[in-house]
Amino acid sequence: MSQLIYTAFVPLDGVVEAPGGEPGYRNTGWTFAVDFLEEAYGLKAREQDEAGSMLLGRVSYQAFSAVWPQMVDEFPKYNAMPKYVVSTTLAEGDLVEGWGTTTILRNLDEVAALKQAEGAPILVQGSATLARSLSDAGLIDRYHLLVFPWILGAANACGATPTSRGRSSSWSRARPTATACRSSSTTWSGSTPRPERRGRPRASRPPTPPR
């Protein structure tokens, strides 16, 4: 059986929208308002090395496929690996050519069947709505949450925090003052107060679609 891993940038209140500076959100670019910590982002490099395929919701697929194929240096393995898109509306004609093989899954039963095959981990990137459904169905095996010391207060929360049905979780510090823990419970843990934002998002880090 293949493991299903959900990976996300999250602040302390679980909001996942616009981490990379996407327009139209109140707190867009919130991942850029802290210092880059190389050892924390090492988690993202390990994910790319270990994963065998990527699972996305329709919104994230359309956002990622418009940008990532051109990012050949940043995401070579992500771009080459097979993709699975969970959608009831996406058609074969909507799929992007030249971004690895892509298969449309119509429901969570098909996701569960995909997991039955032995293989490398299946990585869920962004895809907040899909992640909530996967979590509710007990299909997520591991959570990789890069936690930032913000309380954004409004927007779309991922809702896919570790539950009693999730098997394990890996939490990483975004900077030395960020809250970090290992947990498989539904309770957020930490005592770091909310810091002040420190300027506008920097443009040097690649943008990350919201879900």
Side-chain angles (χ1 to χ4, degrees):
M1 179 179 291
S2 300
Q3 280 201 329
L4 189 65
I5 301 173
Y6 174 62
T7 180
F9 299 119
V10 295
L12 298 178
D13 54 0
V15 171
V16 294
E17 286 182 329
E22 301 76 13
Y25 298 94
R26 186 184 73 175
N27 294 305
T28 187
W30 47 269
T31 61
F32 297 116
V34 295
D35 294 332
F36 180 82
L37 192 62
E38 185 173 354
E39 56 267 36
Y41 278 90
L43 173 67
K44 310 307 290 182
R46 293 194 299 274
E47 288 173 348
Q48 189 169 186
D49 289 338
E50 296 172 0
S53 59
M54 192 184 306
L55 181 70
L56 301 167
R58 177 188 59 81
V59 174
S60 284
Y61 172 77
Q62 292 175 326
F64 283 31
S65 63
V67 178
W68 284 23
Q70 289 76 49
M71 302 177 74
V72 294
D73 294 330
E74 295 88 345
F75 305 130
K77 294 184 178 180
Y78 285 153
N79 287 331
M81 68 178 55
K83 319 290 189 308
Y84 297 91
V85 186
V86 182
S87 174
T88 59
T89 60
L90 201 67
E92 293 290 336
D94 299 323
L95 299 180
V96 173
E97 295 183 0
W99 199 41
T101 59
T102 303
T103 303
I104 299 174
L105 306 180
R106 295 303 185 189
N107 52 56
L108 295 186
D109 288 339
E110 294 186 14
V111 176
L114 176 66
K115 287 186 58 181
Q116 293 304 310
E118 293 292 337
I122 304 165
L123 197 63
V124 182
Q125 296 265 15
S127 309
T129 300
L130 172 62
R132 282 194 293 269
S133 297
L134 293 170
S135 180
D136 289 344
L139 292 174
I140 298 178
D141 299 294
R142 280 163 53 192
Y143 296 80
H144 291 178
L145 305 179
L146 200 62
V147 182
F148 288 72
W150 306 125
I151 296 176
L152 302 182
N156 189 21
C158 70
T161 50
T163 68
S164 58
R165 288 179 290 185
R167 291 181 176 83
S168 65
S169 59
S170 297
W171 298 58
S172 294
R173 291 174 182 258
R175 55 171 290 178
T177 58
T179 299
C181 67
R182 275 185 189 274
S183 173
S184 58
S185 70
T186 57
T187 302
W188 291 88
S189 176
S191 58
T192 303
R194 179 184 180 181
E196 296 297 324
R197 287 184 63 103
R198 301 186 304 165
R200 302 292 297 170
R202 299 190 299 273
S204 58
R205 203 180 305 172
T208 304
R211 56 177 184 169

PDB file of all heavy atoms in Angstrom, residues 60-86:
ATOM      1  N   SER A  60      -6.046  23.478  -7.519  1.00  0.00           N
ATOM      2  CA  SER A  60      -4.586  23.464  -7.416  1.00  0.00           C
ATOM      3  C   SER A  60      -3.954  22.945  -8.701  1.00  0.00           C
ATOM      4  O   SER A  60      -2.900  23.443  -9.118  1.00  0.00           O
ATOM      5  CB  SER A  60      -4.141  22.609  -6.228  1.00  0.00           C
ATOM      6  OG  SER A  60      -4.351  23.296  -5.017  1.00  0.00           O
ATOM      7  N   TYR A  61      -4.567  21.947  -9.322  1.00  0.00           N
ATOM      8  CA  TYR A  61      -4.015  21.448 -10.585  1.00  0.00           C
ATOM      9  C   TYR A  61      -3.946  22.563 -11.619  1.00  0.00           C
ATOM     10  O   TYR A  61      -2.925  22.756 -12.291  1.00  0.00           O
ATOM     11  CB  TYR A  61      -4.851  20.291 -11.127  1.00  0.00           C
ATOM     12  CG  TYR A  61      -4.420  19.882 -12.520  1.00  0.00           C
ATOM     13  CD1 TYR A  61      -3.275  19.123 -12.709  1.00  0.00           C
ATOM     14  CD2 TYR A  61      -5.142  20.309 -13.643  1.00  0.00           C
ATOM     15  CE1 TYR A  61      -2.849  18.785 -13.992  1.00  0.00           C
ATOM     16  CE2 TYR A  61      -4.728  19.967 -14.918  1.00  0.00           C
ATOM     17  CZ  TYR A  61      -3.583  19.210 -15.087  1.00  0.00           C
ATOM     18  OH  TYR A  61      -3.149  18.882 -16.363  1.00  0.00           O
ATOM     19  N   GLN A  62      -5.019  23.305 -11.768  1.00  0.00           N
ATOM     20  CA  GLN A  62      -5.036  24.364 -12.768  1.00  0.00           C
ATOM     21  C   GLN A  62      -4.056  25.486 -12.427  1.00  0.00           C
ATOM     22  O   GLN A  62      -3.444  26.068 -13.329  1.00  0.00           O
ATOM     23  CB  GLN A  62      -6.462  24.907 -12.910  1.00  0.00           C
ATOM     24  CG  GLN A  62      -7.412  23.895 -13.536  1.00  0.00           C
ATOM     25  CD  GLN A  62      -8.844  24.366 -13.585  1.00  0.00           C
ATOM     26  OE1 GLN A  62      -9.312  25.086 -12.692  1.00  0.00           O
ATOM     27  NE2 GLN A  62      -9.566  23.972 -14.626  1.00  0.00           N
ATOM     28  N   ALA A  63      -3.884  25.779 -11.140  1.00  0.00           N
ATOM     29  CA  ALA A  63      -2.929  26.814 -10.743  1.00  0.00           C
ATOM     30  C   ALA A  63      -1.491  26.343 -10.921  1.00  0.00           C
ATOM     31  O   ALA A  63      -0.639  27.061 -11.463  1.00  0.00           O
ATOM     32  CB  ALA A  63      -3.184  27.221  -9.295  1.00  0.00           C
ATOM     33  N   PHE A  64      -1.190  25.132 -10.464  1.00  0.00           N
ATOM     34  CA  PHE A  64       0.170  24.609 -10.549  1.00  0.00           C
ATOM     35  C   PHE A  64       0.590  24.399 -12.000  1.00  0.00           C
ATOM     36  O   PHE A  64       1.715  24.710 -12.388  1.00  0.00           O
ATOM     37  CB  PHE A  64       0.272  23.278  -9.801  1.00  0.00           C
ATOM     38  CG  PHE A  64       0.332  23.392  -8.303  1.00  0.00           C
ATOM     39  CD1 PHE A  64      -0.303  24.413  -7.620  1.00  0.00           C
ATOM     40  CD2 PHE A  64       1.018  22.446  -7.561  1.00  0.00           C
ATOM     41  CE1 PHE A  64      -0.258  24.496  -6.239  1.00  0.00           C
ATOM     42  CE2 PHE A  64       1.078  22.519  -6.186  1.00  0.00           C
ATOM     43  CZ  PHE A  64       0.446  23.552  -5.520  1.00  0.00           C
ATOM     44  N   SER A  65      -0.297  23.818 -12.799  1.00  0.00           N
ATOM     45  CA  SER A  65       0.067  23.454 -14.178  1.00  0.00           C
ATOM     46  C   SER A  65       0.321  24.674 -15.050  1.00  0.00           C
ATOM     47  O   SER A  65       0.946  24.566 -16.108  1.00  0.00           O
ATOM     48  CB  SER A  65      -1.027  22.581 -14.806  1.00  0.00           C
ATOM     49  OG  SER A  65      -2.258  23.290 -14.908  1.00  0.00           O
ATOM     50  N   ALA A  66      -0.133  25.842 -14.613  1.00  0.00           N
ATOM     51  CA  ALA A  66       0.114  27.066 -15.364  1.00  0.00           C
ATOM     52  C   ALA A  66       1.490  27.654 -15.072  1.00  0.00           C
ATOM     53  O   ALA A  66       1.970  28.514 -15.820  1.00  0.00           O
ATOM     54  CB  ALA A  66      -0.966  28.105 -15.040  1.00  0.00           C
ATOM     55  N   VAL A  67       2.136  27.189 -13.981  1.00  0.00           N
ATOM     56  CA  VAL A  67       3.385  27.795 -13.539  1.00  0.00           C
ATOM     57  C   VAL A  67       4.529  26.792 -13.452  1.00  0.00           C
ATOM     58  O   VAL A  67       5.641  27.040 -13.933  1.00  0.00           O
ATOM     59  CB  VAL A  67       3.192  28.473 -12.160  1.00  0.00           C
ATOM     60  CG1 VAL A  67       4.496  29.070 -11.665  1.00  0.00           C
ATOM     61  CG2 VAL A  67       2.109  29.544 -12.238  1.00  0.00           C
ATOM     62  N   TRP A  68       4.290  25.647 -12.829  1.00  0.00           N
ATOM     63  CA  TRP A  68       5.363  24.728 -12.511  1.00  0.00           C
ATOM     64  C   TRP A  68       6.101  24.146 -13.714  1.00  0.00           C
ATOM     65  O   TRP A  68       7.310  23.901 -13.619  1.00  0.00           O
ATOM     66  CB  TRP A  68       4.837  23.598 -11.618  1.00  0.00           C
ATOM     67  CG  TRP A  68       4.621  24.027 -10.197  1.00  0.00           C
ATOM     68  CD1 TRP A  68       4.420  25.294  -9.749  1.00  0.00           C
ATOM     69  CD2 TRP A  68       4.577  23.189  -9.048  1.00  0.00           C
ATOM     70  NE1 TRP A  68       4.233  25.300  -8.382  1.00  0.00           N
ATOM     71  CE2 TRP A  68       4.325  24.019  -7.933  1.00  0.00           C
ATOM     72  CE3 TRP A  68       4.699  21.822  -8.855  1.00  0.00           C
ATOM     73  CZ2 TRP A  68       4.224  23.522  -6.643  1.00  0.00           C
ATOM     74  CZ3 TRP A  68       4.585  21.311  -7.567  1.00  0.00           C
ATOM     75  CH2 TRP A  68       4.366  22.157  -6.474  1.00  0.00           C
ATOM     76  N   PRO A  69       5.463  23.859 -14.850  1.00  0.00           N
ATOM     77  CA  PRO A  69       6.224  23.302 -15.976  1.00  0.00           C
ATOM     78  C   PRO A  69       7.386  24.176 -16.421  1.00  0.00           C
ATOM     79  O   PRO A  69       8.368  23.678 -16.978  1.00  0.00           O
ATOM     80  CB  PRO A  69       5.163  23.173 -17.077  1.00  0.00           C
ATOM     81  CG  PRO A  69       3.890  22.973 -16.340  1.00  0.00           C
ATOM     82  CD  PRO A  69       4.013  23.869 -15.130  1.00  0.00           C
ATOM     83  N   GLN A  70       7.296  25.494 -16.191  1.00  0.00           N
ATOM     84  CA  GLN A  70       8.388  26.391 -16.548  1.00  0.00           C
ATOM     85  C   GLN A  70       9.477  26.450 -15.478  1.00  0.00           C
ATOM     86  O   GLN A  70      10.563  26.985 -15.714  1.00  0.00           O
ATOM     87  CB  GLN A  70       7.852  27.811 -16.781  1.00  0.00           C
ATOM     88  CG  GLN A  70       7.024  27.986 -18.056  1.00  0.00           C
ATOM     89  CD  GLN A  70       5.639  27.409 -17.925  1.00  0.00           C
ATOM     90  OE1 GLN A  70       4.952  27.670 -16.952  1.00  0.00           O
ATOM     91  NE2 GLN A  70       5.219  26.624 -18.910  1.00  0.00           N
ATOM     92  N   MET A  71       9.204  25.908 -14.298  1.00  0.00           N
ATOM     93  CA  MET A  71      10.159  25.960 -13.183  1.00  0.00           C
ATOM     94  C   MET A  71      10.990  24.679 -13.180  1.00  0.00           C
ATOM     95  O   MET A  71      10.922  23.859 -12.256  1.00  0.00           O
ATOM     96  CB  MET A  71       9.407  26.177 -11.870  1.00  0.00           C
ATOM     97  CG  MET A  71       8.567  27.452 -11.877  1.00  0.00           C
ATOM     98  SD  MET A  71       7.601  27.710 -10.363  1.00  0.00           S
ATOM     99  CE  MET A  71       8.900  28.213  -9.224  1.00  0.00           C
ATOM    100  N   VAL A  72      11.802  24.520 -14.223  1.00  0.00           N
ATOM    101  CA  VAL A  72      12.519  23.258 -14.421  1.00  0.00           C
ATOM    102  C   VAL A  72      13.626  23.060 -13.400  1.00  0.00           C
ATOM    103  O   VAL A  72      13.983  21.916 -13.071  1.00  0.00           O
ATOM    104  CB  VAL A  72      13.085  23.182 -15.856  1.00  0.00           C
ATOM    105  CG1 VAL A  72      11.948  23.122 -16.865  1.00  0.00           C
ATOM    106  CG2 VAL A  72      13.977  24.389 -16.144  1.00  0.00           C
ATOM    107  N   ASP A  73      14.202  24.133 -12.897  1.00  0.00           N
ATOM    108  CA  ASP A  73      15.276  24.005 -11.909  1.00  0.00           C
ATOM    109  C   ASP A  73      14.733  23.759 -10.508  1.00  0.00           C
ATOM    110  O   ASP A  73      15.329  23.006  -9.728  1.00  0.00           O
ATOM    111  CB  ASP A  73      16.143  25.271 -11.898  1.00  0.00           C
ATOM    112  CG  ASP A  73      16.906  25.462 -13.192  1.00  0.00           C
ATOM    113  OD1 ASP A  73      17.243  24.454 -13.837  1.00  0.00           O
ATOM    114  OD2 ASP A  73      17.143  26.627 -13.570  1.00  0.00           O
ATOM    115  N   GLU A  74      13.602  24.380 -10.178  1.00  0.00           N
ATOM    116  CA  GLU A  74      13.051  24.267  -8.824  1.00  0.00           C
ATOM    117  C   GLU A  74      12.327  22.937  -8.614  1.00  0.00           C
ATOM    118  O   GLU A  74      12.420  22.338  -7.547  1.00  0.00           O
ATOM    119  CB  GLU A  74      12.071  25.417  -8.549  1.00  0.00           C
ATOM    120  CG  GLU A  74      12.713  26.794  -8.521  1.00  0.00           C
ATOM    121  CD  GLU A  74      12.774  27.443  -9.899  1.00  0.00           C
ATOM    122  OE1 GLU A  74      12.577  26.719 -10.899  1.00  0.00           O
ATOM    123  OE2 GLU A  74      12.995  28.666  -9.967  1.00  0.00           O
ATOM    124  N   PHE A  75      11.582  22.464  -9.611  1.00  0.00           N
ATOM    125  CA  PHE A  75      10.712  21.303  -9.429  1.00  0.00           C
ATOM    126  C   PHE A  75      10.910  20.238 -10.508  1.00  0.00           C
ATOM    127  O   PHE A  75       9.947  19.796 -11.134  1.00  0.00           O
ATOM    128  CB  PHE A  75       9.242  21.750  -9.432  1.00  0.00           C
ATOM    129  CG  PHE A  75       8.907  22.811  -8.427  1.00  0.00           C
ATOM    130  CD1 PHE A  75       8.226  23.950  -8.811  1.00  0.00           C
ATOM    131  CD2 PHE A  75       9.267  22.670  -7.104  1.00  0.00           C
ATOM    132  CE1 PHE A  75       7.902  24.936  -7.889  1.00  0.00           C
ATOM    133  CE2 PHE A  75       8.955  23.648  -6.174  1.00  0.00           C
ATOM    134  CZ  PHE A  75       8.274  24.788  -6.565  1.00  0.00           C
ATOM    135  N   PRO A  76      12.134  19.779 -10.746  1.00  0.00           N
ATOM    136  CA  PRO A  76      12.337  18.808 -11.831  1.00  0.00           C
ATOM    137  C   PRO A  76      11.594  17.491 -11.618  1.00  0.00           C
ATOM    138  O   PRO A  76      11.009  16.944 -12.559  1.00  0.00           O
ATOM    139  CB  PRO A  76      13.856  18.606 -11.844  1.00  0.00           C
ATOM    140  CG  PRO A  76      14.313  18.988 -10.460  1.00  0.00           C
ATOM    141  CD  PRO A  76      13.395  20.095 -10.040  1.00  0.00           C
ATOM    142  N   LYS A  77      11.605  16.991 -10.392  1.00  0.00           N
ATOM    143  CA  LYS A  77      10.955  15.697 -10.140  1.00  0.00           C
ATOM    144  C   LYS A  77       9.443  15.846 -10.056  1.00  0.00           C
ATOM    145  O   LYS A  77       8.709  14.965 -10.509  1.00  0.00           O
ATOM    146  CB  LYS A  77      11.520  15.066  -8.869  1.00  0.00           C
ATOM    147  CG  LYS A  77      12.989  14.691  -9.017  1.00  0.00           C
ATOM    148  CD  LYS A  77      13.532  13.966  -7.788  1.00  0.00           C
ATOM    149  CE  LYS A  77      14.982  13.579  -8.003  1.00  0.00           C
ATOM    150  NZ  LYS A  77      15.564  12.874  -6.821  1.00  0.00           N
ATOM    151  N   TYR A  78       8.975  16.944  -9.465  1.00  0.00           N
ATOM    152  CA  TYR A  78       7.536  17.180  -9.453  1.00  0.00           C
ATOM    153  C   TYR A  78       6.995  17.253 -10.881  1.00  0.00           C
ATOM    154  O   TYR A  78       5.927  16.725 -11.187  1.00  0.00           O
ATOM    155  CB  TYR A  78       7.208  18.493  -8.734  1.00  0.00           C
ATOM    156  CG  TYR A  78       7.315  18.446  -7.244  1.00  0.00           C
ATOM    157  CD1 TYR A  78       7.594  19.610  -6.527  1.00  0.00           C
ATOM    158  CD2 TYR A  78       7.126  17.269  -6.525  1.00  0.00           C
ATOM    159  CE1 TYR A  78       7.683  19.594  -5.140  1.00  0.00           C
ATOM    160  CE2 TYR A  78       7.222  17.248  -5.151  1.00  0.00           C
ATOM    161  CZ  TYR A  78       7.500  18.411  -4.458  1.00  0.00           C
ATOM    162  OH  TYR A  78       7.590  18.400  -3.095  1.00  0.00           O
ATOM    163  N   ASN A  79       7.707  17.935 -11.750  1.00  0.00           N
ATOM    164  CA  ASN A  79       7.241  18.101 -13.113  1.00  0.00           C
ATOM    165  C   ASN A  79       7.195  16.777 -13.868  1.00  0.00           C
ATOM    166  O   ASN A  79       6.335  16.575 -14.728  1.00  0.00           O
ATOM    167  CB  ASN A  79       8.135  19.102 -13.860  1.00  0.00           C
ATOM    168  CG  ASN A  79       7.898  20.531 -13.409  1.00  0.00           C
ATOM    169  OD1 ASN A  79       6.802  20.881 -12.984  1.00  0.00           O
ATOM    170  ND2 ASN A  79       8.920  21.370 -13.502  1.00  0.00           N
ATOM    171  N   ALA A  80       8.119  15.870 -13.555  1.00  0.00           N
ATOM    172  CA  ALA A  80       8.200  14.608 -14.288  1.00  0.00           C
ATOM    173  C   ALA A  80       7.274  13.526 -13.747  1.00  0.00           C
ATOM    174  O   ALA A  80       6.852  12.641 -14.501  1.00  0.00           O
ATOM    175  CB  ALA A  80       9.645  14.099 -14.265  1.00  0.00           C
ATOM    176  N   MET A  81       6.940  13.585 -12.460  1.00  0.00           N
ATOM    177  CA  MET A  81       6.197  12.478 -11.852  1.00  0.00           C
ATOM    178  C   MET A  81       4.732  12.442 -12.301  1.00  0.00           C
ATOM    179  O   MET A  81       4.175  13.471 -12.714  1.00  0.00           O
ATOM    180  CB  MET A  81       6.268  12.537 -10.319  1.00  0.00           C
ATOM    181  CG  MET A  81       5.534  13.688  -9.687  1.00  0.00           C
ATOM    182  SD  MET A  81       5.603  13.673  -7.851  1.00  0.00           S
ATOM    183  CE  MET A  81       7.365  13.615  -7.523  1.00  0.00           C
ATOM    184  N   PRO A  82       4.075  11.295 -12.248  1.00  0.00           N
ATOM    185  CA  PRO A  82       2.650  11.191 -12.602  1.00  0.00           C
ATOM    186  C   PRO A  82       1.791  12.047 -11.681  1.00  0.00           C
ATOM    187  O   PRO A  82       2.093  12.205 -10.500  1.00  0.00           O
ATOM    188  CB  PRO A  82       2.343   9.705 -12.414  1.00  0.00           C
ATOM    189  CG  PRO A  82       3.663   9.018 -12.457  1.00  0.00           C
ATOM    190  CD  PRO A  82       4.654   9.984 -11.897  1.00  0.00           C
ATOM    191  N   LYS A  83       0.719  12.589 -12.246  1.00  0.00           N
ATOM    192  CA  LYS A  83      -0.228  13.416 -11.492  1.00  0.00           C
ATOM    193  C   LYS A  83      -1.602  12.746 -11.499  1.00  0.00           C
ATOM    194  O   LYS A  83      -2.001  12.132 -12.491  1.00  0.00           O
ATOM    195  CB  LYS A  83      -0.367  14.815 -12.104  1.00  0.00           C
ATOM    196  CG  LYS A  83       0.910  15.478 -12.585  1.00  0.00           C
ATOM    197  CD  LYS A  83       1.821  15.876 -11.487  1.00  0.00           C
ATOM    198  CE  LYS A  83       2.989  16.729 -11.967  1.00  0.00           C
ATOM    199  NZ  LYS A  83       3.773  16.195 -13.072  1.00  0.00           N
ATOM    200  N   TYR A  84      -2.321  12.916 -10.389  1.00  0.00           N
ATOM    201  CA  TYR A  84      -3.710  12.476 -10.286  1.00  0.00           C
ATOM    202  C   TYR A  84      -4.527  13.675  -9.824  1.00  0.00           C
ATOM    203  O   TYR A  84      -4.163  14.350  -8.862  1.00  0.00           O
ATOM    204  CB  TYR A  84      -3.855  11.326  -9.300  1.00  0.00           C
ATOM    205  CG  TYR A  84      -3.103  10.079  -9.726  1.00  0.00           C
ATOM    206  CD1 TYR A  84      -1.778   9.874  -9.322  1.00  0.00           C
ATOM    207  CD2 TYR A  84      -3.705   9.121 -10.536  1.00  0.00           C
ATOM    208  CE1 TYR A  84      -1.080   8.749  -9.721  1.00  0.00           C
ATOM    209  CE2 TYR A  84      -3.007   7.981 -10.935  1.00  0.00           C
ATOM    210  CZ  TYR A  84      -1.695   7.812 -10.531  1.00  0.00           C
ATOM    211  OH  TYR A  84      -1.004   6.694 -10.935  1.00  0.00           O
ATOM    212  N   VAL A  85      -5.622  13.942 -10.508  1.00  0.00           N
ATOM    213  CA  VAL A  85      -6.470  15.084 -10.184  1.00  0.00           C
ATOM    214  C   VAL A  85      -7.847  14.565  -9.793  1.00  0.00           C
ATOM    215  O   VAL A  85      -8.482  13.835 -10.556  1.00  0.00           O
ATOM    216  CB  VAL A  85      -6.612  16.055 -11.371  1.00  0.00           C
ATOM    217  CG1 VAL A  85      -7.383  17.297 -10.939  1.00  0.00           C
ATOM    218  CG2 VAL A  85      -5.256  16.437 -11.921  1.00  0.00           C
ATOM    219  N   VAL A  86      -8.300  14.935  -8.594  1.00  0.00           N
ATOM    220  CA  VAL A  86      -9.620  14.523  -8.131  1.00  0.00           C
ATOM    221  C   VAL A  86     -10.609  15.623  -8.496  1.00  0.00           C
ATOM    222  O   VAL A  86     -10.527  16.747  -7.990  1.00  0.00           O
ATOM    223  CB  VAL A  86      -9.633  14.275  -6.613  1.00  0.00           C
ATOM    224  CG1 VAL A  86     -11.019  13.788  -6.173  1.00  0.00           C
ATOM    225  CG2 VAL A  86      -8.562  13.253  -6.233  1.00  0.00           C
TER     226      VAL A  86
END
